[in-house]
Amino acid sequence: MSTPEAVRVTLVRGDITQQSVDVVVNAANSSLLGGGGVDGAIHRQGGPEILAACRELRASHYGKGLPTGKAVATTAGSLDARWVVHTVGPVWSSAEDRSALLASCYRESLRVAAELGARTVAFPAISTGIYGWPMDDGARIAVRTVLAEAAAPVEEVRFVLFDAHAFVEFEEVLAAQG
């Protein structure tokens, strides 16, 4: 029996809505109905099919919204992807350690992607925008979790980082992981 190859982790500076992958991960809010930042961009670029699918989820399984740290898939609409996996990141707090919830976003998104048969997954830097998570710590949690949790059929995890600061932080963490 051959051993599975490690997942390939790549970094891209750019717009996650322009990635050609099986799964685009959305840093969603719990309502699943769109918002600002990555969430708003994915809904705008993906079109009304994503919102319609999210409304169906709200009407069935997630009447109170998607819990923090969980993930669920919908169509990708007009994005160059097969699916969008929505996950709700935690708001950063100096008074409470919520790092396990942030790690859960990556782990649960990878689990859903693998169940779908996805080979390529694009992640944003979850919770590091309006939710206030410090970029260096967010990068550390993201890279560590992906390296530990990604498994077949996922072959590539791409972190799509919007600005130079995020790219440098992720680059440093990835380099330190060897």
Side-chain angles (χ1 to χ4, degrees):
M1 178 187 295
S2 64
T3 58
E5 291 187 29
V7 67
R8 184 173 67 250
V9 176
T10 58
L11 305 178
V12 175
R13 183 167 171 213
D15 180 349
I16 198 164
T17 68
Q18 301 303 306
Q19 299 301 304
S20 179
V21 290
D22 292 329
V23 167
V24 169
V25 176
N26 181 19
N29 65 52
S30 63
S31 77
L32 295 175
L33 301 178
V38 169
D39 193 18
I42 286 173
H43 276 269
R44 280 189 303 278
Q45 289 287 26
E49 297 88 358
I50 296 173
L51 182 57
C54 286
R55 284 190 172 132
E56 287 179 27
L57 288 169
R58 286 297 306 268
S60 58
H61 296 89
Y62 299 102
K64 294 181 180 179
L66 184 64
T68 301
K70 300 298 182 189
V72 65
T74 66
T75 179
S78 59
L79 295 174
D80 190 10
R82 295 174 69 190
W83 303 281
V84 172
V85 171
H86 306 267
T87 189
V88 180
V91 175
W92 186 78
S93 169
S94 61
E96 179 184 353
D97 181 6
R98 298 177 180 166
S99 57
L101 284 171
L102 183 55
S104 180
C105 291
Y106 292 98
R107 184 172 39 261
E108 287 294 303
S109 295
L110 287 167
R111 179 188 60 76
V112 170
E115 287 174 359
L116 292 168
R119 293 184 6 213
T120 54
V121 180
F123 277 102
I126 299 168
S127 289
T128 61
I130 194 73
Y131 285 6
W133 207 282
M135 188 61 73
D136 59 341
D137 193 47
R140 181 186 57 78
I141 292 167
V143 170
R144 183 184 66 208
T145 305
V146 163
L147 290 174
E149 300 290 337
V154 175
E155 297 171 359
E156 179 191 359
V157 171
R158 187 178 307 167
F159 288 106
V160 183
L161 307 159
F162 192 70
D163 62 24
H165 171 68
F167 188 90
V168 167
E169 292 292 348
F170 272 76
E171 190 174 48
E172 287 176 2
V173 170
L174 194 56
Q177 294 294 318

